[in-house]
Amino acid sequence: MPKVLHTTAEMRAWRNGVSHVSVGFVPTMGALHAGHADLLRRMRRECDQLVLSIFVNPAQFGPQEDLTKYPRTLESDMEAARECGVDAVFFPTPEQMYPPGYSTYVEEQALTPRLCGEFRPGHFRGVTTVVLKLFNLVRPHAAYFGLKDAQQFFVLHKRARDLDLGVSVEGVPTVREADGLALSSRNVYLSGQERAIAPAIYETLQGAARHIESGAPVPATLAESRARLELQGFKVQYLECLSLPDFQTPQPGPGPGPGKPLLIATAAYLGATRLIDNIILWPERLEELGIKIHR
Ligand code: PAF
């Protein structure tokens, strides 16, 4: 069984005991699914010691969001950690991470106002802060993040670079159900009927990606895709196409053409459940910019 570390002191002590080996890190909020298992298994092959953190981070939830309702499945998470060969699970309490009087936050300012950041004020400040704290405690050589939360990955990659953290922040492709729905801890909230409609989100993104790849104008393609989703019952919060890694709106005119990495991303509600998904076009160009995306 992996070693379970409950306090920041225990985490530091464990880390001090593995000082001459490579440490891989997968931060999560628990409710582990096959997407998390994929991150852990990939990292297992790349490092000597593998750390998983499970922490439902209050700082990244807005007042109207699902912090208390967020699924907590510690027993099955521990079983998944064991199966994936995790050496240590860091499972702190909110009081350990944010003791009374806590008042320090870090903020990335260029990428976070876009996409989810526009609709979830403070969310990325909470993410960048907690992941910096976790990096300081775990002191990993590398950390893997799923690309379902592509904005989160690019923000955390930039923050690691901007702050010279010396941690290799790498993106791992989204794991999907057979019908294309991206795995997410929040999928459990979907009713049977919503679950049947949900794969349309990825189908629509794929359609938009094909059009943009073949040179169709971006705004018209996005408008058509948005209408298609709304017709099927989604309430679309955003559907955007931005250049990578700088999150700029592509210039108007015919499609940008091959070679320019682009992110097509959406957030849409099905009933009360907010789903996000995305597609990256021409991801191989990111590698040339020193951004590691696994295949
Ligand atoms: O993606 C998540 O599960 C969370 O945002 C993270 C990166 C663990 C930070 O709390």
Side-chain angles (χ1 to χ4, degrees):
M1 262 323 226
K3 183 127 185 86
V4 183
L5 310 163
H6 290 280
T7 65
T8 53
E10 284 170 3
M11 184 65 241
R12 277 188 201 289
W14 181 90
R15 182 62 179 91
N16 288 338
V18 293
S19 51
H20 297 297
V21 298
S22 65
V23 174
F25 182 36
V26 177
T28 76
M29 298 204 297
L32 302 185
H33 51 62
H36 296 111
D38 182 52
L39 298 176
L40 290 167
R41 290 209 175 92
R42 285 172 186 257
M43 186 60 101
R44 179 66 285 172
R45 297 195 288 269
E46 302 299 325
C47 67
D48 297 311
Q49 291 288 321
L50 173 57
V51 181
L52 161 74
S53 66
I54 297 177
F55 179 59
V56 184
N57 173 33
Q60 69 189 73
F61 287 79
Q64 311 304 328
E65 294 182 349
D66 56 351
L67 172 64
T68 49
K69 202 171 117 207
Y70 196 84
R72 286 156 172 92
T73 57
L74 187 61
E75 214 172 295
S76 60
D77 290 353
M78 286 306 297
E79 186 50 30
R82 191 190 58 75
E83 279 171 16
C84 295
V86 170
D87 295 295
V89 177
F90 181 43
F91 180 59
T93 58
E95 293 70 32
Q96 278 289 318
M97 295 300 279
Y98 302 108
Y102 186 90
S103 62
T104 303
Y105 294 87
V106 283
E107 197 163 19
E108 190 287 328
Q109 296 186 331
L111 313 185
T112 56
R114 308 299 302 256
L115 307 178
C116 288
E118 192 184 331
F119 299 94
R120 301 186 69 188
H123 168 70
F124 285 113
R125 185 177 94 133
V127 171
T128 47
T129 300
V130 82
V131 176
L132 180 59
K133 284 172 66 67
L134 291 167
F135 279 12
N136 286 336
L137 292 160
V138 176
R139 302 201 317 274
H141 295 89
Y144 286 179
F145 294 89
L147 287 171
K148 184 177 78 67
D149 293 306
Q151 184 175 18
Q152 170 172 276
F153 165 71
F154 285 101
V155 167
L156 291 173
H157 185 278
K158 182 143 198 319
R159 177 215 58 154
R161 206 173 251 188
D162 287 353
L163 296 181
D164 301 307
L165 297 186
V167 178
S168 180
V169 171
E170 303 175 21
V172 174
T174 304
V175 176
R176 298 180 182 279
E177 303 280 7
D179 59 11
L181 178 65
L183 295 193
S184 163
S185 307
R186 291 185 167 100
N187 290 352
V188 294
Y189 303 149
L190 295 170
S191 70
Q193 199 190 352
E194 289 162 354
R195 174 64 190 80
I197 301 168
I201 204 163
Y202 185 52
E203 274 160 37
T204 306
L205 285 172
Q206 284 177 305
R210 277 194 300 273
H211 278 91
I212 292 171
E213 259 172 341
S214 58
V218 172
T221 305
L222 296 179
E224 201 182 297
S225 303
R226 189 183 183 115
R228 190 182 293 260
L229 282 174
E230 290 189 334
L231 207 63
Q232 293 182 79
F234 289 90
K235 203 162 153 269
V236 179
Q237 196 171 56
Y238 67 76
L239 173 58
E240 285 198 56
C241 176
L242 299 177
S243 60
L244 289 175
D246 54 358
F247 281 40
Q248 295 301 304
T249 305
Q251 290 307 304
K260 186 148 173 78
L262 292 177
L263 175 70
I264 307 173
T266 189
Y269 281 92
L270 256 188
T273 308
R274 184 175 179 272
L275 299 175
I276 57 169
D277 204 349
N278 68 82
I279 287 185
I280 296 177
L281 293 186
W282 304 295
E284 57 285 352
R285 282 291 321 280
L286 290 168
E287 195 88 21
E288 292 161 25
L289 301 169
I291 300 177
K292 190 154 180 198
I293 300 279
H294 291 245
R295 301 290 155 87

